Amino acid sequence: MRYSHQRERIFRAVSERCDHPTANMVYEQLKVEMPRLSLGTVYRNLNQLADAGRLKKIPLADGSCRFDKTKESHSHIVCDECGAVSDVHLPSFESFEQAIESETGYELRTYDVVLRGVCKDCRACMDQQAG
Amino acid sequence: MRYSHQRERIFRAVSERCDHPTANMVYEQLKVEMPRLSLGTVYRNLNQLADAGRLKKIPLADGSCRFDKTKESHSHIVCDECGAVSDVHLPSFESFEQAIESETGYELRTYDVVLRGVCKDCRACMDQQAG
DNA sequence: ATAAATAACAGTAATAGTTACTATGTAGGA
DNA sequence: TCCTACATAGTAACTATTACTGTTATTTAT
Ligand SMILES: [Mn+2]
Ligand SMILES: [Mn+2]
Ligand SMILES: [Zn+2]
Ligand SMILES: [Zn+2]
């Protein structure tokens, strides 16, 4: 994979933020400083970076994709109200793997565990409105 | 919700199969006997049935949705090769919930755990091809 | 039983997220 | 410096799904 200025900026953008941005969020951020950048380029490069193992792609159930600077296997929790995506540590999820493989006959490759709920901020908002 | 012939047939179609069909799979099955049925009607009714709690909606990471006759919370495993969706029992996943809520500050609503791997049949195929 | 109200329908257009295409530009090696 | 492959911007196409529009069917009221 040959060097490109755009790709490195896209990589840095994801690496420097903790909110698991979408392609469009990266595009909106970068186009301020790079007015000629196109959304297609962002998508293409994010996927290339994920294929190359420099980023992790997290496809969510709503059809959108998030990109993650953390490459190691870990789980996520999504706020149903504001859409925020946060990391969550699932203790000893790995211990299930053996049992699952023998129960299902599947050879397990990956697991993308996405929990859903309401974040602290949104709970506060909702309580205020209700109260 | 008022009775409709179409809705009951759509409900029965999902109830009678174990492969977690998509809206389109239900449509393909039913249109043979109901030539005037439309895909939009299938989508609308599957979502209504899910909202009413008569079916469970399982949005997958690839953007497609599966519908499940089993309404209780349970997890799924998807074959990366053939796309098959099977049930899988995750022992004591519930025991994590408390820990997750205090770690993240989220109020947990649901978890749609989708594992991915290769099913027994597809493994056999792949082994054969490899020789 | 008939008629009025309205929920559901079929058909089609629109949408969102993403990928593919095409012509132009640029990185990096000979 | 010049070549070639890869990257780009801009745009069209795509897939799964939802929304719109005029028609039909189910329910309720007479
Ligand atoms: Mn993460
Ligand atoms: Mn199931
Ligand atoms: Zn929130
Ligand atoms: Zn398979």
Side-chain angles (χ1 to χ4, degrees), chain B residues 2 4 6-7 36-37 41 44-45:
Chain B
R2 144 163 120 181
S4 96
Q6 286 91 337
R7 180 154 49 233
R36 302 214 41 189
L37 183 70
T41 296
R44 183 164 19 81
N45 281 295

Side-chain angles (χ1 to χ4, degrees), chain A residues 20 58 68 70 74-76 87:
Chain A
H20 305 84
I58 309 165
D68 196 332
T70 307
H74 62 289
S75 303
H76 294 94
D87 289 341

